[in-house]
Amino acid sequence: MFEGNAVEEKVEVAVPDISVVVIVFNDADRLPAAVQSVLEQTLQSVEVVIVDDCSSDRSFEAAQELAAAHPGKVRAFQLPENSGAGGEPRNLGIQHATGRYVMFLDSDDVLERNACRNLFESAEETQSDIVSGLCVRLHKDTRNQKRDEWYSWIYSTTRTLESVTDFPDLFVWDTLSTNKCYRRDFLLENDLRFPKGMLYEDLMFIADAYLAAKRITLIPNQVYFWHVHEQAAEKSVTNSRHEMANYVHRLEIHRRIDALLERHGLSDLKLAKDVKFLKHDLVLHLRDLPFRDEAYRLEFAKHSQEYLAGIAPEAYAKVQPIQAICAYLLSQGDWERLIPAVDSLTNRDKISSPLAEREGRIYWCDQYLDDAFARSVLDVTDLGYHQKPVGQMFLRNGISSLTVEGTTIRMTGRITNPLGVIAPGARLEGELQFSARRRSLQSFAFPVRVLRHDGESVHWEAEADLTKDLRPLGIIDTVWDVRLAVDVDGARTTTRLTVGDVDLSGGVLPVRPRLTRMVADHLEPHASAKGHLAFRLVTENQTNERVLELIERGVRGKPGALAKSGYRKAKSVRKSLTSTETKLRLYHEVFSRLPIKKRTVVFESMIGRQYSDSPRAIYEEMRRQGLEFEAIWSYRGSPKGFPKDATLVRAWSLPYLKALAQAEFWVDNQSFPLKLTKRPETTYIQTWHGSALKRMGFDLPELKAATRARQQAQQAGLDRFDRFLIRSEHDVQTLAKAFRLPEKALLRVGYPRNDALAQARQREADGGARERGPLAAELGIAGDKKVLLYAPTFRKAGGRLSHFELPFDVERFADEFGDRYVLLVRAHYLNHVVLPPTVRGRVIDVSAHHDVTPLLNLADAMITDYSSVMFDYALLDRPMLFFTYDYEEYVNQDRGTYFDLLEHAPGPVFNTEDEFHEAVRSLDTQASEYASKREQFGARFGEYDQGNASRSIIDQFFAHWRR
C-alpha cells in the first residue's frame, strides 16, 4: 500500500496555471529577455514552452540553455524545418503546453510583470474562454521609446461578452493573438490552430477563436509590450509590407475570414471588416505605391481588383472619402489618378486632383460619373474644397524634371489648380525655399523663374545655385526640405514638392559645409517618407568617409557623450519650461510677484477663439471714449481679425500668463483658465455669453455627481468673478444661482454686446425704417432680398466627415425660397458646416464672422433651436422660428432646461423639414400672430438691456482713465 502511494506521488505533477508559448527564429540575443519576462511574473505557476522555427543562428541552443537553467519551468522544442511564418511554431507550442491556460509571446517582445496574474484571475472569475488585455507598442529605435496603445478604446473598462457579435470592434480591430489568455481545453475542443506557412496568421486564428468563444472578457490592464524595431536588419512582417508575397498572404487570410463569416451568416460583421480593410489594411499598402515600379503596381492591382470585387458597396460610405476614392480608382486600374490620390491619402488635406463640378456637386475627377456608385464614392462636396480660398489650400505640386548642370539645379513641376481657384489672370509670384529639417536652423529662398497656367495646373520652372548660396553647417543639418511658395494676387499658398516617378539619381550637387568637407562633400536628392523632395548631406570620398568615421567615433566617445548629455539636458529643460506644471509655477511664483500694471486690461472672448461679444463691445467703447489704457487681447489659433491697436498674446503662452498676472482688469465672457488664481488687486469683470435655457454650472447632473475636489476647483474658478453681468432676473435665478455667486457680484446693466440691438430697435421705432448697414453689401445680398439667419446651438460633430450636419436640405430650401430670401448659416464656434456650390448667393456660410451681433441686426427673421441668441434677437422684435428636431433627446437625455421652450417660445416650434418650410412661407402671418409673445419674451429676458451697458460699465470702472 505504501509503495503504491509512493508511486502515485511520483507521477503526480502540478499543472501550471498558464503555459506561455514563446516562438523564436534567428533571434538568439533577444530570446532570454522574453523568457525572463515570463519567469518574473507575479503569478508563480507559469511554464515557458519555447519553440524554435529551425533557426540558422544559435536560437535553439539559447533555448536549450534556458531550459537547463530553469528545469521544470522552461522546455525547448524545435521544428525539423523552417515553416516560414509564426503559425506552426505556435501550433507545436499548443501541443506541448500543459497549463490550464495558454498565452503566446514573440521572442523580441515581453510581458508586463502582472500580465499572467491579471489575465488568469479574470479568466477564473468570469469562466471565460478568452481574456484579453491592452497591448502597448514600444518603438525601440526612438530615444524615448515612443508608446502606442493598441486600440486602447477597446480596453477602456472591464467587460465580459457572451459573444463577439456584442462588440464588433473587438473582432475587427484587435486581431492580435499575443495579448490574450486562452483556456487550453477551449483550444483543443475547437481544434483551434494557426494556418501553416502563412503570414498574418494571427488574423485567421483570432477570428476562429472569437467566433468559437462562449464568453470573452476584456480587462483595461497592460499585458503585452510589442517591441517595434524599424531599423532592424531583418525586417518584421509589419516592416516589410512592400514585398508582394506579404500582400498576397494578407489578401488570402482576408478571403478565408470572409468565408468563415459567410458560413456563420454574420453579414454585419463582414461589413464592419470590409470597412476596416478599406481604411486600414489597404491603406498600409497603398502608401507604398508611389515608390514602386510599374511591374509591381500592375501585379498589386491584379490581386487587389480580385479582392475589392467582394467588398460590400456600403463599406465605401463608411470610410474617409480619400480612402474610398483610392480603393475605387485601384479597382479601375486608373494609375493616372490613383497615384495623386495616394498623395492625398499620405498627406492629409492635400488636394491632388483638379476636381470637377457637376450639377452643383464637387467630384474628385470628371471620370466615371455616369455610374451612380462611382458618383457616390467620388463626391467630395462635403470636404468643402469649393469654399476654401487659395491661401487655405494645401495643393499637390508634382516635380516634372530635376537636372543638375555644374553647381546649378534646375527643376520644373506642376501645381494642381482645383476648380480653377488660381484664375488665369491672377498675378503670380513664387520662391523655392530650402530649409534645414531641424527647426531654428538655416533656410534659403530662390525666385521661381516661370509660373504660368497650363490646363488644369500651374506650370513652374526654377533654378538655384545651391553651392553658391546654401552653406550648411554639417552633421546637425544633414537633411534639407524643399517647398515652393506661390503668391496668388497677394494670397500665399505653400506647397511641398512631390517626387513621383522622377529619376533623382542625376541630381548630385557639390557642397562645402561650414564644418569643411570632412563631414560631407555633396548634396543628394531623395524622396521623404511622405514622398516629398528633400536633400541630404553625404560624402563619396573614401578619405572623407574615414574622417567622418573618426568624427562619429568621437561623438560616441566621452567628449561626444558629454556634448550629447548637455544637449539632452537643454532639450529637457526647454520641454520642462513649456509644460503645464512649469507654466503654472511661473504664473504663481514669478509673474504674480511682479507689480500690477495700472490701466492694463486683458480681454478674451470664447476662450480666445473670437474677437467678439461683450468684451469687444466694452473694448470698442473704451476706444471711442478715448480712454488711456493698455489693451491686451488673447487669441487661439490665428490672430487674424483681432484689433491691430491692441497687444495680442497667444492663449496659454508665457506672455499671456504674464499679462494676466499683472493686469488691473480681466474682461472675458467664458472663463480664464481655472488653475490661474486671480490676484486681489485685479478686478475680474465676467460678461458671460448668454442667458440660460440649458442648465448650467452646479445644476448640471455631472457636476452634482463630481468628486468634492472637482467641485471645489470649479467653485474656486467661479469665485474669481468680481462682477457678473446680468441682463434679467431670469439670469439671477439661473446663472447666478448655478454659479453660486453672491449678490454683491451681480451687475444689473445688461449685455454690452446687445447695446447695438437695443439701439437699432429704438432707431426703427423712432424713424420707422430699417438700416441694413454695410454687411449686406459685403455679403453680396441684393436689396430686394430678405435675410433669414439660421443659428443653431452646439452639436457634437458626427458623420464620417466630423462636421455639423444641417437638419434640412439646403438645396431644396434654396430652390423654393431663393428668389425671396437669402439664408445665412451661422454654426456654433465649435462646429463647422459645408454648403454645396449649388446654393451660392442664396445660402451663405457666415460662421467665420467673429461677432454675431451684426448678423442678428441684418436678419429679418431668425431660425434657431436652443441657442441663447434667441434672447438677444428678441430685443429686435422680429420673427423667430424654432427648429427643434431633437427636442426630446436634448431635454431628456442631455443637460435639461430651465423652462419649457414649447410653452414659452415667441414663435412657431417645429421638428420636420416640411414644417420648417411651411413656417417660412407664412412668415408674415407669424410676425403678427406672435407679436404679443415676442414682447413678453423680450421684456422677461432682456429687461436690463437698454442700449447703454458698455457706457455704464465704463462709468463705473474706467471713467478715471479719460484724458
Side-chain angles (χ1 to χ4, degrees), residues 758-791:
Q759 293 166 11
R761 181 179 179 184
Q762 188 60 49
R763 286 195 299 271
E764 288 178 31
D766 294 343
R770 283 275 311 278
E771 296 178 11
R772 273 195 150 182
L775 183 56
E778 179 186 327
L779 296 174
I781 300 174
D784 61 341
K785 297 283 185 67
K786 287 191 174 183
V787 178
L788 303 179
L789 173 66
Y790 177 51

Short mmCIF file of all heavy atoms in Angstrom, two decimals, residues 758-791:
data_model
loop_
_atom_site.label_atom_id
_atom_site.label_comp_id
_atom_site.label_asym_id
_atom_site.label_seq_id
_atom_site.Cartn_x
_atom_site.Cartn_y
_atom_site.Cartn_z
N ALA A 758 -30.40 96.92 -29.06
CA ALA A 758 -31.39 97.78 -28.40
C ALA A 758 -31.46 99.14 -29.08
O ALA A 758 -32.55 99.72 -29.26
CB ALA A 758 -31.04 97.93 -26.92
N GLN A 759 -30.30 99.66 -29.48
CA GLN A 759 -30.28 100.95 -30.16
C GLN A 759 -30.90 100.87 -31.55
O GLN A 759 -31.59 101.80 -31.99
CB GLN A 759 -28.83 101.45 -30.24
CG GLN A 759 -28.23 101.81 -28.89
CD GLN A 759 -26.72 101.99 -28.94
OE1 GLN A 759 -26.12 102.04 -30.02
NE2 GLN A 759 -26.08 102.07 -27.78
N ALA A 760 -30.67 99.75 -32.25
CA ALA A 760 -31.26 99.58 -33.58
C ALA A 760 -32.78 99.55 -33.50
O ALA A 760 -33.47 100.16 -34.33
CB ALA A 760 -30.73 98.29 -34.22
N ARG A 761 -33.31 98.84 -32.52
CA ARG A 761 -34.76 98.79 -32.37
C ARG A 761 -35.31 100.18 -32.04
O ARG A 761 -36.38 100.57 -32.56
CB ARG A 761 -35.15 97.81 -31.27
CG ARG A 761 -36.66 97.72 -31.09
CD ARG A 761 -37.06 96.73 -30.04
NE ARG A 761 -38.51 96.69 -29.89
CZ ARG A 761 -39.13 95.98 -28.98
NH1 ARG A 761 -38.45 95.23 -28.12
NH2 ARG A 761 -40.45 95.99 -28.89
N GLN A 762 -34.60 100.93 -31.21
CA GLN A 762 -35.07 102.27 -30.86
C GLN A 762 -35.07 103.17 -32.09
O GLN A 762 -36.02 103.96 -32.29
CB GLN A 762 -34.18 102.86 -29.76
CG GLN A 762 -34.69 104.16 -29.17
CD GLN A 762 -36.07 104.01 -28.54
OE1 GLN A 762 -36.28 103.10 -27.75
NE2 GLN A 762 -37.01 104.87 -28.92
N ARG A 763 -34.03 103.04 -32.92
CA ARG A 763 -33.99 103.87 -34.14
C ARG A 763 -35.14 103.50 -35.07
O ARG A 763 -35.74 104.38 -35.70
CB ARG A 763 -32.65 103.68 -34.85
CG ARG A 763 -31.48 104.37 -34.17
CD ARG A 763 -30.27 104.45 -35.09
NE ARG A 763 -29.79 103.13 -35.48
CZ ARG A 763 -28.89 102.42 -34.80
NH1 ARG A 763 -28.38 102.92 -33.68
NH2 ARG A 763 -28.50 101.24 -35.22
N GLU A 764 -35.44 102.21 -35.17
CA GLU A 764 -36.55 101.80 -36.02
C GLU A 764 -37.88 102.34 -35.49
O GLU A 764 -38.74 102.77 -36.26
CB GLU A 764 -36.60 100.26 -36.09
CG GLU A 764 -35.48 99.65 -36.92
CD GLU A 764 -35.54 98.13 -36.91
OE1 GLU A 764 -36.65 97.58 -36.81
OE2 GLU A 764 -34.48 97.50 -37.00
N ALA A 765 -38.00 102.31 -34.17
CA ALA A 765 -39.24 102.82 -33.56
C ALA A 765 -39.37 104.33 -33.78
O ALA A 765 -40.48 104.85 -34.03
CB ALA A 765 -39.28 102.49 -32.08
N ASP A 766 -38.24 105.03 -33.73
CA ASP A 766 -38.28 106.49 -33.90
C ASP A 766 -38.46 106.88 -35.36
O ASP A 766 -39.23 107.80 -35.68
CB ASP A 766 -36.99 107.11 -33.36
CG ASP A 766 -36.87 106.94 -31.85
OD1 ASP A 766 -37.90 106.65 -31.20
OD2 ASP A 766 -35.74 107.07 -31.33
N GLY A 767 -37.75 106.18 -36.25
CA GLY A 767 -37.75 106.60 -37.66
C GLY A 767 -38.63 105.76 -38.56
O GLY A 767 -38.91 106.14 -39.70
N GLY A 768 -39.01 104.56 -38.09
CA GLY A 768 -39.88 103.71 -38.87
C GLY A 768 -39.21 103.01 -40.03
O GLY A 768 -39.90 102.45 -40.89
N ALA A 769 -37.86 103.00 -40.11
CA ALA A 769 -37.17 102.36 -41.23
C ALA A 769 -36.00 101.53 -40.71
O ALA A 769 -35.42 101.84 -39.67
CB ALA A 769 -36.66 103.43 -42.21
N ARG A 770 -35.68 100.46 -41.47
CA ARG A 770 -34.56 99.60 -41.14
C ARG A 770 -33.28 100.14 -41.75
O ARG A 770 -33.27 100.65 -42.86
CB ARG A 770 -34.80 98.19 -41.71
CG ARG A 770 -35.77 97.32 -40.94
CD ARG A 770 -35.08 96.60 -39.80
NE ARG A 770 -33.86 95.93 -40.19
CZ ARG A 770 -33.82 94.74 -40.77
NH1 ARG A 770 -34.95 94.10 -41.01
NH2 ARG A 770 -32.67 94.20 -41.09
N GLU A 771 -32.16 99.99 -41.00
CA GLU A 771 -30.84 100.29 -41.53
C GLU A 771 -30.08 98.98 -41.69
O GLU A 771 -29.76 98.33 -40.71
CB GLU A 771 -30.07 101.22 -40.58
CG GLU A 771 -30.71 102.58 -40.39
CD GLU A 771 -29.93 103.44 -39.39
OE1 GLU A 771 -28.80 103.03 -39.03
OE2 GLU A 771 -30.44 104.47 -38.97
N ARG A 772 -29.83 98.61 -42.93
CA ARG A 772 -29.16 97.32 -43.16
C ARG A 772 -27.68 97.37 -42.83
O ARG A 772 -27.10 96.36 -42.43
CB ARG A 772 -29.34 96.89 -44.61
CG ARG A 772 -30.63 96.13 -44.85
CD ARG A 772 -30.58 95.43 -46.17
NE ARG A 772 -31.37 94.21 -46.16
CZ ARG A 772 -31.47 93.39 -47.17
NH1 ARG A 772 -30.83 93.65 -48.30
NH2 ARG A 772 -32.20 92.30 -47.09
N GLY A 773 -27.05 98.47 -43.03
CA GLY A 773 -25.62 98.58 -42.76
C GLY A 773 -24.78 97.98 -43.86
O GLY A 773 -25.29 97.42 -44.85
N PRO A 774 -23.45 98.05 -43.73
CA PRO A 774 -22.53 97.62 -44.80
C PRO A 774 -22.43 96.11 -44.96
O PRO A 774 -21.93 95.64 -45.98
CB PRO A 774 -21.19 98.20 -44.36
CG PRO A 774 -21.29 98.28 -42.86
CD PRO A 774 -22.74 98.59 -42.56
N LEU A 775 -22.88 95.31 -43.97
CA LEU A 775 -22.68 93.87 -44.03
C LEU A 775 -23.42 93.23 -45.21
O LEU A 775 -22.93 92.29 -45.83
CB LEU A 775 -23.12 93.21 -42.72
CG LEU A 775 -22.89 91.70 -42.60
CD1 LEU A 775 -21.43 91.35 -42.83
CD2 LEU A 775 -23.36 91.19 -41.26
N ALA A 776 -24.62 93.76 -45.52
CA ALA A 776 -25.39 93.20 -46.63
C ALA A 776 -24.62 93.32 -47.95
O ALA A 776 -24.55 92.36 -48.74
CB ALA A 776 -26.74 93.90 -46.74
N ALA A 777 -24.02 94.47 -48.17
CA ALA A 777 -23.24 94.65 -49.40
C ALA A 777 -22.00 93.77 -49.38
O ALA A 777 -21.60 93.19 -50.40
CB ALA A 777 -22.86 96.12 -49.54
N GLU A 778 -21.37 93.64 -48.22
CA GLU A 778 -20.17 92.80 -48.10
C GLU A 778 -20.48 91.35 -48.46
O GLU A 778 -19.66 90.67 -49.08
CB GLU A 778 -19.64 92.89 -46.67
CG GLU A 778 -18.42 92.05 -46.40
CD GLU A 778 -18.03 92.05 -44.93
OE1 GLU A 778 -18.24 93.08 -44.25
OE2 GLU A 778 -17.53 91.02 -44.45
N LEU A 779 -21.68 90.89 -48.09
CA LEU A 779 -22.08 89.52 -48.38
C LEU A 779 -22.71 89.37 -49.76
O LEU A 779 -23.05 88.25 -50.17
CB LEU A 779 -23.05 89.02 -47.31
CG LEU A 779 -22.50 88.92 -45.88
CD1 LEU A 779 -23.61 88.56 -44.90
CD2 LEU A 779 -21.39 87.89 -45.81
N GLY A 780 -22.88 90.47 -50.46
CA GLY A 780 -23.45 90.42 -51.80
C GLY A 780 -24.95 90.17 -51.82
O GLY A 780 -25.48 89.56 -52.76
N ILE A 781 -25.67 90.67 -50.80
CA ILE A 781 -27.12 90.45 -50.71
C ILE A 781 -27.85 91.59 -51.41
O ILE A 781 -27.66 92.77 -51.07
CB ILE A 781 -27.56 90.34 -49.24
CG1 ILE A 781 -26.84 89.17 -48.56
CG2 ILE A 781 -29.07 90.18 -49.14
CD1 ILE A 781 -27.10 89.06 -47.07
N ALA A 782 -28.66 91.26 -52.37
CA ALA A 782 -29.40 92.27 -53.13
C ALA A 782 -30.42 92.97 -52.23
O ALA A 782 -30.94 92.38 -51.27
CB ALA A 782 -30.10 91.63 -54.32
N GLY A 783 -30.76 94.20 -52.57
CA GLY A 783 -31.67 94.98 -51.75
C GLY A 783 -33.09 94.45 -51.71
O GLY A 783 -33.84 94.73 -50.77
N ASP A 784 -33.50 93.67 -52.73
CA ASP A 784 -34.87 93.17 -52.76
C ASP A 784 -35.01 91.80 -52.07
O ASP A 784 -36.09 91.22 -52.09
CB ASP A 784 -35.35 93.06 -54.20
CG ASP A 784 -34.50 92.08 -55.02
OD1 ASP A 784 -33.37 91.77 -54.59
OD2 ASP A 784 -34.96 91.65 -56.09
N LYS A 785 -33.93 91.30 -51.48
CA LYS A 785 -33.99 90.01 -50.80
C LYS A 785 -34.05 90.21 -49.29
O LYS A 785 -33.30 91.01 -48.73
CB LYS A 785 -32.74 89.17 -51.13
CG LYS A 785 -32.57 88.81 -52.60
CD LYS A 785 -33.50 87.67 -52.99
CE LYS A 785 -33.25 87.23 -54.42
NZ LYS A 785 -31.94 86.59 -54.61
N LYS A 786 -34.96 89.46 -48.66
CA LYS A 786 -34.98 89.44 -47.20
C LYS A 786 -33.94 88.44 -46.70
O LYS A 786 -33.54 87.53 -47.43
CB LYS A 786 -36.36 89.08 -46.68
CG LYS A 786 -37.39 90.21 -46.86
CD LYS A 786 -38.66 89.90 -46.10
CE LYS A 786 -39.61 91.09 -46.16
NZ LYS A 786 -40.83 90.86 -45.36
N VAL A 787 -33.53 88.62 -45.45
CA VAL A 787 -32.45 87.82 -44.89
C VAL A 787 -32.98 86.98 -43.72
O VAL A 787 -33.59 87.51 -42.79
CB VAL A 787 -31.29 88.71 -44.41
CG1 VAL A 787 -30.19 87.85 -43.79
CG2 VAL A 787 -30.75 89.55 -45.55
N LEU A 788 -32.72 85.67 -43.81
CA LEU A 788 -33.01 84.76 -42.71
C LEU A 788 -31.68 84.28 -42.14
O LEU A 788 -30.75 84.01 -42.89
CB LEU A 788 -33.82 83.55 -43.19
CG LEU A 788 -35.15 83.83 -43.88
CD1 LEU A 788 -35.80 82.52 -44.30
CD2 LEU A 788 -36.08 84.61 -42.96
N LEU A 789 -31.61 84.18 -40.82
CA LEU A 789 -30.40 83.71 -40.16
C LEU A 789 -30.70 82.40 -39.43
O LEU A 789 -31.61 82.34 -38.61
CB LEU A 789 -29.90 84.75 -39.15
CG LEU A 789 -28.72 84.32 -38.26
CD1 LEU A 789 -27.46 84.09 -39.09
CD2 LEU A 789 -28.46 85.37 -37.17
N TYR A 790 -29.94 81.34 -39.77
CA TYR A 790 -30.06 80.07 -39.06
C TYR A 790 -28.87 79.96 -38.12
O TYR A 790 -27.71 79.89 -38.55
CB TYR A 790 -30.09 78.89 -40.03
CG TYR A 790 -30.14 77.54 -39.33
CD1 TYR A 790 -31.09 77.29 -38.34
CD2 TYR A 790 -29.23 76.53 -39.64
CE1 TYR A 790 -31.15 76.07 -37.69
CE2 TYR A 790 -29.28 75.30 -39.00
CZ TYR A 790 -30.24 75.07 -38.03
OH TYR A 790 -30.29 73.86 -37.37
N ALA A 791 -29.13 79.98 -36.80
CA ALA A 791 -28.07 79.98 -35.79
C ALA A 791 -28.37 78.92 -34.74
O ALA A 791 -28.98 79.22 -33.71
CB ALA A 791 -27.94 81.36 -35.16
#
